[in-house]
Amino acid sequence: MGEFEVHRVRFFALVPAGVRCLACSPRADRLALGRTDGTVEVYNFAANYFQEKVIPGHEARSVEALCWAAGERLFGAGLSGEIFEYDLAGLRVSCCVDGGGGPIWSMAANGSGTQLAIGCEDGSVKLFQVVPGGIQFERNLDRRKGRILCLSWHPSGTHIAAGSIDIFRVIDVCSGQTVKRIMVNYHVQKVKRECIVWSIAFLSSGTVVTSDSFGRVQFWDWERGTLQESHTVSTSAVLSLAVSEKEDSIVVGTSTGATYQFQLLPVKMGSLEKRWVRTKPFQHHTHDVRAVAHSPTALISGGLDAQLVIRPLMEKMQKKGYDAALRKFTFPHRRLVSCARKARLLLFQFSQHLELWRLGSTEETGKDGEVLPLCRMPEHLLQLKSKGPEHIYCSCVSPCGSWVAYSTASRFHLYRVRYESNSISVKKV
């Protein structure tokens, strides 16, 4: 093997965006992930969780909720108050509809994928019909005071549970009226702070599961309005909750970076009576776990530390192997660094700007593994800011270093870079 030098690049100051929401496609084994900068990524379960699509973000389009509907159609909503559908072939937003209720905090699709329910800032729950080519407003459901932070459909599609501050409501979809209103902190003595219902799930048995800012996971009989079980899992908030398809396992994420699993287990061996038991704690994140998902064979969590963690359930695995390994996705899967070999330049891609650097050089020689001192330090030559709200999708620098190009979802930009004695000039082509 010939001799070569390795330049350790330590000046790419990339700060990845945190994970805001997750959505599992029940039919196609795909996972949609939304980040805090509006970027949406799609992972394929069947291909070892390969990241097959990335839809770049937009400054005016935050993503608070994602859901799959009508088969393989992906919808998103955010604080801009709009519902948008993603074109998974063109990697862009194909259509956009105003929700009509201010910022949208939550969204959920019914079991058949034909209707979308959104929870708005003004306290309203709105229904939209999924039609070919987009969505169509259907009607408003009962509106009450307080923003709707989380939504969940009953598997039959007859009722919707909506979580807010201090309460959650159960709404009859046919009549559009609230049929039950339950205070989540009525049994707590001398409560001086509000209790935020961060996440909610409606089980087919009629049980409503909530997670709140008091660190509790609670199970409610909504028809009687009574609390069945309450589990305090953290001293801080429980931010996210997801239920398995068979409704025998629940995963929750907390603001301390921990995730917990609950399982529905018999009280005694051979007994028909079952209770929810906290079985497995995990600490894979350093910041808030804002989103969790439950696949048939794994617990999936995403946090503000930008990590996507997939922990397989060993009892669901037929044999040990690659599929049973813990996966942590920390670094971006797409290329963010471009190299101009002849000019010894590196181009770094950020969401809304590019940085051009010249590598340092050395005149020393040494043995294998030695660190050589630099006679010329790395030099920051240029920062090129993109215009408009769209984020940069891809970028490249020519081998000679005289051309820099980048692209957004709708535009391609090309620049000519000229290097003079003590200055650099950039001209848009």
Side-chain angles (χ1 to χ4, degrees):
M1 182 180 292
E3 295 183 357
F4 58 92
E5 295 177 355
V6 176
H7 194 118
R8 295 181 179 177
V9 177
R10 300 177 183 270
F11 41 87
F12 186 18
L14 176 68
V15 180
V19 178
R20 180 61 191 88
C21 50
L22 295 170
C24 275
S25 173
R27 300 178 183 177
D29 290 338
R30 295 163 105 187
L31 175 73
L33 178 150
R35 296 192 179 270
T36 53
D37 63 352
T39 302
V40 173
E41 304 167 2
V42 177
Y43 293 83
N44 192 327
F45 290 170
N48 292 324
Y49 298 94
F50 170 69
Q51 185 192 84
E52 61 180 20
K53 300 178 188 296
V54 176
I55 303 172
H58 194 285
E59 284 299 295
R61 190 174 62 234
S62 67
V63 181
E64 289 292 318
L66 289 171
C67 72
W68 298 88
E72 281 302 284
R73 295 172 64 179
L74 179 62
F75 294 88
L79 301 184
S80 62
E82 297 174 325
I83 310 168
F84 26 86
E85 182 177 0
Y86 294 101
D87 180 358
L88 297 180
L91 302 181
R92 60 185 179 86
V93 172
S94 59
C95 67
C96 192
V97 176
D98 188 1
I104 300 173
W105 292 94
S106 53
M107 178 175 60
N110 64 351
S112 59
T114 57
Q115 288 178 304
L116 292 180
I118 62 170
C120 303
E121 174 76 18
D122 64 355
S124 63
V125 177
K126 301 176 185 294
L127 287 185
F128 286 81
Q129 195 79 22
V130 179
V131 297
I135 57 174
Q136 183 177 337
F137 176 73
E138 187 174 342
R139 60 196 175 99
N140 284 313
L141 302 182
D142 191 17
R143 175 183 170 185
R144 299 292 176 91
K145 185 179 179 181
R147 63 177 62 139
I148 306 299
L149 295 171
C150 49
L151 287 173
S152 180
W153 288 75
H154 189 272
S156 66
T158 57
H159 293 82
I160 294 175
S164 187
I165 298 174
D166 290 330
I167 66 166
F168 75 87
R169 295 186 287 136
V170 177
I171 304 172
D172 185 274
V173 176
C174 184
S175 65
Q177 298 300 312
T178 298
V179 293
K180 186 67 71 173
R181 183 176 179 271
I182 298 176
M183 300 286 293
V184 295
N185 60 348
Y186 73 96
H187 60 290
V188 180
Q189 300 296 325
K190 299 180 180 179
V191 175
K192 295 183 179 180
R193 59 189 175 97
E194 60 187 16
C195 180
I196 302 172
V197 181
W198 283 115
S199 189
I200 198 165
F202 212 151
L203 306 184
S204 56
S205 62
T207 301
V208 176
V209 189
T210 62
S211 67
D212 56 42
S213 58
F214 286 2
R216 302 171 304 186
V217 177
Q218 297 182 309
F219 298 83
W220 304 83
D221 183 339
W222 77 267
E223 293 182 335
R224 296 183 176 87
T226 57
L227 179 65
Q228 295 176 331
E229 297 181 45
S230 181
H231 301 263
T232 301
V233 299
S234 175
T235 56
S236 55
V238 180
L239 300 174
S240 49
L241 180 151
V243 184
S244 66
E245 187 176 358
K246 294 183 178 180
E247 296 186 354
D248 58 355
S249 175
I250 293 175
V251 57
V252 299
T254 68
S255 60
T256 60
T259 56
Y260 299 90
Q261 185 189 12
F262 287 82
Q263 289 180 283
L264 189 61
L265 301 175
V267 177
K268 297 180 181 179
M269 289 293 293
S271 173
L272 296 178
E273 183 185 357
K274 294 183 177 182
R275 296 195 65 180
W276 288 97
V277 180
R278 189 176 74 184
T279 56
K280 297 186 182 83
F282 308 109
Q283 185 77 43
H284 297 306
H285 298 274
T286 58
H287 293 70
D288 297 5
V289 181
R290 297 297 301 271
V292 292
H294 204 312
S295 76
T297 58
L299 306 179
I300 306 169
S301 59
L304 292 186
D305 56 2
Q307 285 195 114
L308 173 66
V309 178
I310 300 172
R311 184 176 185 87
L313 296 171
M314 300 308 295
E315 64 270 20
K316 302 291 184 180
M317 295 294 174
Q318 300 296 327
K319 58 181 180 179
K320 292 184 178 180
Y322 184 75
D323 292 339
L326 174 70
R327 292 175 174 84
K328 285 187 179 183
F329 299 96
T330 305
F331 300 101
H333 282 201
R334 55 199 178 110
R335 190 180 71 170
L336 300 178
V337 179
S338 179
C339 178
R341 288 189 177 184
K342 296 180 180 179
R344 293 179 60 84
L345 300 177
L346 288 180
L347 182 71
F348 299 143
Q349 176 184 320
F350 297 85
S351 61
Q352 287 200 293
H353 73 275
L354 303 174
E355 289 185 2
L356 188 64
W357 287 73
R358 178 180 283 124
L359 288 174
S361 60
T362 182
E363 296 177 352
E364 302 290 334
T365 58
K367 299 179 181 179
D368 291 346
E370 287 187 353
V371 178
L372 304 180
L374 295 178
C375 63
R376 190 181 69 184
M377 300 300 294
E379 183 181 0
H380 185 196
L381 302 176
L382 175 67
Q383 185 181 80
L384 190 63
K385 294 184 178 180
S386 67
K387 296 180 180 179
E390 292 182 325
H391 288 185
I392 298 172
Y393 182 70
C394 56
S395 60
C396 190
V397 59
S398 64
C400 63
S402 299
W403 300 91
V404 172
Y406 74 88
S407 176
T408 64
S410 62
R411 294 190 177 188
F412 170 76
H413 302 263
L414 179 63
Y415 292 87
R416 178 67 184 269
V417 183
R418 297 183 185 274
Y419 304 91
E420 300 174 2
S421 57
N422 293 320
S423 63
I424 297 176
S425 62
V426 181
K427 183 180 180 181
K428 187 175 181 180
V429 179

